[in-house]
Amino acid sequence: MESLRQILSPDFLLRNSVYTSVLIGFACPLVGVFLVLRRLVFMGVALPQISSTGVAIALCIPIWLGILQPEHAAHSEHLYAFLGSMVFSLSAILILAFLERRTRGLPEGRLGAAYVVASALSILLLSKNRYAEVGWLDLMKGEVITIDNMDLTLTAVSLAIVLIVLGVFYKELLLVSFDRAMAATLGKRVVFWDVLLYVLIGITVSMAVLSVGPLIAFGFLLIPALTTHLFARNMRQFIIGASLLGGATAFCGFWIAYSFDLPVGPTEVVLLGITYASAFLLSKAITLLTRTPLQKGN
Amino acid sequence: MSASIVLDKVTIGYDDHVVMSDISLTVRRGSFTAILGANGTGKSTLLKTIIGLQTPIAGRILFSTPTPKQEPADKNDFWFGGEFMTAQRRPLFGYVPQSNQFDALYLLSAFDVAMMGVYRRIGAGRIVPAAEKDLVCECMRATGADTFAKKMFSQLSGGQKQRVLIARALAAKPEILVLDEPTAGVDVAATHALLEFISQIHREQKLTVLLVTHDLPLVRKHTEQVVWLHEGKLLQGTASELLNPKRMAEILEMEIS
């Protein structure tokens, strides 16, 4: 409990890391719910990886072009990483979503190819740049440690915008996700609402990747939504429940990682996994216990 | 208020694939028209083109307007049987898709689904007012869906889902009710009840109804007009004209007993 008291203290040295972790934990499941509903789980895997490739490119190119001196890179690298992550996330989600709607073939195949190529490209780029490699490896491992006030503010503002837009236009976003044809006959601009949703997902993924890395971003996008779906009885319970579960798991994960000197990101994702597995078993047990004798006979 | 539809030398299809070309069709205001045809003949494509989900490859689709002008403003507009037809205006459609196309992942009650019908009149970001919720309740009562309004939509039977989807379409206050194989996956008793109910709405509200179906006995019993798609051709007539054994044999070039 001493470690918990330390974490909750306003003077805690890593307080920005706690706040960022919890913010990402709350925000990612909000857009993750739509990825699950639209059966775009593979998008949730590929997008954070593509976003981190954007970070890798943004860290390497300015140094190669001589715009940035390696010894002074630390001052500007956050800005370049932010731009790289945002540009790659938004471009990738819009292109992949467009291809999914307009072309035939195997969407999972395209996402898988994008994931693999993005991973390989990141490693290739960074293998030739030792300055960029250090920051990127921290990102890949989910080391939520070095987060300054600027990063925290940027994350909080971006995620607040996502939350407000999702809340205000929830009705339209749900309608175009559930029944595009009906939305079109009701005069709704389906493409506009699709693009808005994808932009919200792209922004959230970018911020999450920048703050906590692709592994944790993926974990928080999907696992809280999958876990809550097992018990939720309506959309409100589903969305709010997933967000609360994400935030709570992020905090508990940080607490455990701090207490046992573990890397924060992987601890949080493993905790999410344990929660999902436990919830799955519990839901199955409840189903078995509440079955009527007639159902048991079948 | 219902509306008439005129298709003038329309070609329908997807991207580079033409499903039917150069088809012309007239659907009169307040009529009940069935669209028949074997699988793959283009029934659903035709329906989706009429309601604007797909763009016609060629030709024009015109709808009657409730506020006729004295003179056609556009050279393509014209008067037809006392109605002003224009391609400039789209009527309000109440679209009832097949009930089995919805994903069970959505945790929506029957009422939530029916409520979507009023979204056309509610601005983006606005909360649905109480009067609109009352209208949804009224539409659910009219379709008999009020008894399972709180149940999860995904857990309803095929017939129950169709009642909810029809309530949703009616809540949109449509001029034209469009139903795409509403009896697919619905048992015989529920199919009869559903068609009886759609006929009743058609009579009471004088709605223009377009129905895609495979069920010939039901078409004979309930509909006035038939559009039959066969080998790239479109035949139009009354149910008694097109669906008598002799005429059907001529169309299908085989004996129908």
Side-chain angles (χ1 to χ4, degrees):
Chain A
M1 294 308 285
E2 174 58 24
S3 56
L4 181 61
R5 196 190 58 75
Q6 285 178 17
I7 290 171
L8 293 174
S9 161
D11 302 323
F12 182 51
L13 192 63
L14 302 176
R15 62 185 179 281
N16 282 359
S17 306
V18 183
Y19 300 151
T20 305
S21 218
V22 173
L23 274 175
I24 298 294
F26 276 122
C28 279
L30 290 173
V31 296
V33 160
F34 283 94
L35 286 177
V36 171
L37 288 174
R38 289 184 166 221
R39 296 188 182 267
L40 295 172
V41 170
F42 280 111
M43 184 87 86
V45 181
L47 206 58
Q49 189 58 49
I50 293 169
S51 178
S52 72
T53 305
V55 175
I57 290 174
L59 292 177
C60 289
I61 288 181
I63 294 174
W64 290 342
L65 293 177
I67 300 169
L68 201 64
Q69 295 305 311
E71 58 271 23
H72 300 122
H75 301 293
S76 314
E77 73 175 13
H78 284 202
L79 176 66
Y80 286 112
F82 172 75
L83 289 175
S85 174
M86 200 63 91
V87 167
F88 268 68
S89 290
L90 292 177
S91 307
I93 196 166
L94 292 175
I95 291 168
L96 289 170
F98 175 81
L99 290 175
E100 195 211 338
R101 292 279 175 210
R102 292 296 174 92
T103 57
R104 291 173 189 164
L106 199 62
E108 293 87 351
R110 280 192 288 272
L111 287 169
Y115 174 83
V116 168
V117 172
S119 306
L121 186 60
S122 302
I123 294 165
L124 274 180
L125 284 167
L126 294 162
S127 66
K128 292 291 175 192
N129 188 328
R130 66 187 175 88
Y131 294 98
E133 189 181 11
V134 175
W136 190 78
L137 282 178
D138 282 348
L139 200 66
M140 290 299 288
K141 285 190 286 184
E143 292 287 5
V144 199
I145 300 298
T146 52
I147 292 175
D148 60 25
N149 287 340
M150 184 64 191
D151 286 343
L152 176 63
T153 308
L154 197 61
T155 307
V157 170
S158 305
L159 298 182
I161 291 169
V162 169
L163 180 66
I164 290 166
V165 176
L166 267 180
V168 171
F169 300 119
Y170 165 73
K171 179 165 91 302
E172 285 73 24
L173 297 173
L174 182 67
L175 175 64
V176 296
S177 300
F178 180 67
D179 190 351
R180 291 173 65 81
M182 180 66 179
T185 58
L186 289 175
K188 299 292 177 189
R189 289 174 295 166
V190 174
V191 174
F192 170 80
W193 294 112
D194 267 350
V195 169
L196 179 67
L197 179 61
Y198 291 137
V199 167
L200 294 178
I201 293 170
I203 291 172
T204 310
V205 168
S206 296
M207 297 317 299
V209 166
L210 272 178
S211 308
V212 296
L215 177 74
I216 297 101
F218 170 56
F220 279 102
L221 276 173
L222 297 175
I223 302 176
L226 293 173
T227 308
T228 315
H229 194 270
L230 295 168
F231 298 102
R233 290 287 166 265
N234 56 50
M235 290 302 295
R236 184 172 299 190
Q237 283 179 16
F238 182 27
I239 295 172
I240 295 173
S243 179
L244 291 176
L245 178 66
T249 311
F251 182 79
C252 294
F254 195 97
W255 178 25
I256 293 167
Y258 183 70
S259 302
F260 297 97
D261 193 24
L262 298 168
V264 177
T267 309
E268 289 178 349
V269 174
V270 169
L271 189 59
L272 277 174
I274 292 169
T275 310
Y276 180 44
S278 310
F280 182 79
L281 291 174
L282 184 63
S283 75
K284 289 292 165 201
I286 291 171
T287 308
L288 280 173
L289 291 171
T290 54
R291 277 171 77 181
T292 61
L294 186 64
Q295 287 172 315
K296 282 177 184 168
N298 292 336
Chain B
M1 177 61 73
S2 61
S4 301
I5 308 165
V6 170
L7 270 69
D8 182 22
K9 294 178 180 170
V10 170
T11 298
I12 59 171
Y14 301 87
D15 300 325
D16 54 344
H17 174 61
V18 172
V19 176
M20 293 185 84
S21 60
D22 211 23
I23 52 173
S24 293
L25 167 69
T26 305
V27 177
R28 298 309 301 260
R29 177 193 295 269
S31 64
F32 192 154
T33 305
I35 302 175
L36 294 171
N39 288 338
T41 49
K43 300 186 298 294
S44 292
T45 310
L46 175 63
L47 203 67
K48 285 177 181 167
T49 308
I50 291 172
I51 65 178
L53 296 179
Q54 280 181 227
T55 311
I57 295 169
R60 56 186 188 148
I61 302 176
L62 302 105
F63 301 96
S64 60
T65 170
T67 52
K69 307 165 198 170
Q70 289 303 310
E71 291 295 329
D74 188 289
K75 64 180 171 57
N76 293 320
D77 298 348
F78 60 91
W79 287 91
F80 173 73
E83 290 189 289
F84 185 78
M85 305 300 296
T86 178
Q88 307 302 316
R89 170 189 175 269
R90 295 201 69 76
L92 303 172
F93 290 101
Y95 178 51
V96 182
Q98 291 181 31
S99 63
N100 55 8
Q101 71 172 49
F102 294 101
D103 200 324
L105 282 176
Y106 289 82
L107 303 171
L108 296 166
S109 68
F111 183 79
D112 293 334
V113 173
M115 178 84 90
M116 289 174 178
V118 306
Y119 285 2
R120 182 182 60 80
R121 297 184 294 276
I122 315 297
R126 298 285 176 87
I127 294 167
V128 179
E132 294 286 6
K133 286 182 181 170
D134 291 344
L135 173 69
V136 174
C137 291
E138 202 179 297
C139 292
M140 292 192 83
R141 265 196 299 279
T143 59
D146 56 328
T147 52
F148 44 83
K150 288 181 181 173
K151 278 194 175 179
M152 294 281 275
F153 181 75
S154 59
Q155 290 170 359
L156 301 178
S157 69
Q160 287 175 323
K161 281 182 183 170
Q162 285 298 345
R163 286 176 178 272
V164 174
L165 294 174
I166 294 169
R168 182 179 73 162
L170 293 177
K173 296 184 182 171
E175 294 166 72
I176 300 172
L177 185 62
V178 176
L179 304 105
D180 190 359
E181 298 194 40
T183 54
V186 178
D187 63 54
V188 177
T191 295
H192 279 275
L194 202 62
L195 261 292
E196 200 61 59
F197 172 68
I198 294 165
S199 295
Q200 188 191 332
I201 294 170
H202 162 66
R203 286 192 303 272
E204 288 176 2
Q205 302 191 13
K206 295 184 171 54
L207 266 181
T208 307
V209 178
L210 275 177
L211 165 74
V212 168
T213 183
H214 287 286
D215 201 325
L216 290 184
L218 286 176
V219 171
R220 283 197 188 98
K221 187 177 174 191
H222 294 285
T223 68
E224 301 145 2
Q225 293 288 317
V226 172
V227 172
W228 192 342
L229 309 186
H230 181 63
E231 292 181 348
K233 292 189 186 112
L234 185 151
L235 304 156
Q236 187 175 14
T238 63
S240 55
E241 277 170 8
L242 281 184
L243 300 183
N244 66 71
K246 191 179 167 205
R247 182 77 178 108
M248 286 176 73
E250 284 171 11
I251 296 167
L252 298 171
E253 294 174 350
M254 58 183 279
E255 285 297 317
I256 306 284
S257 58

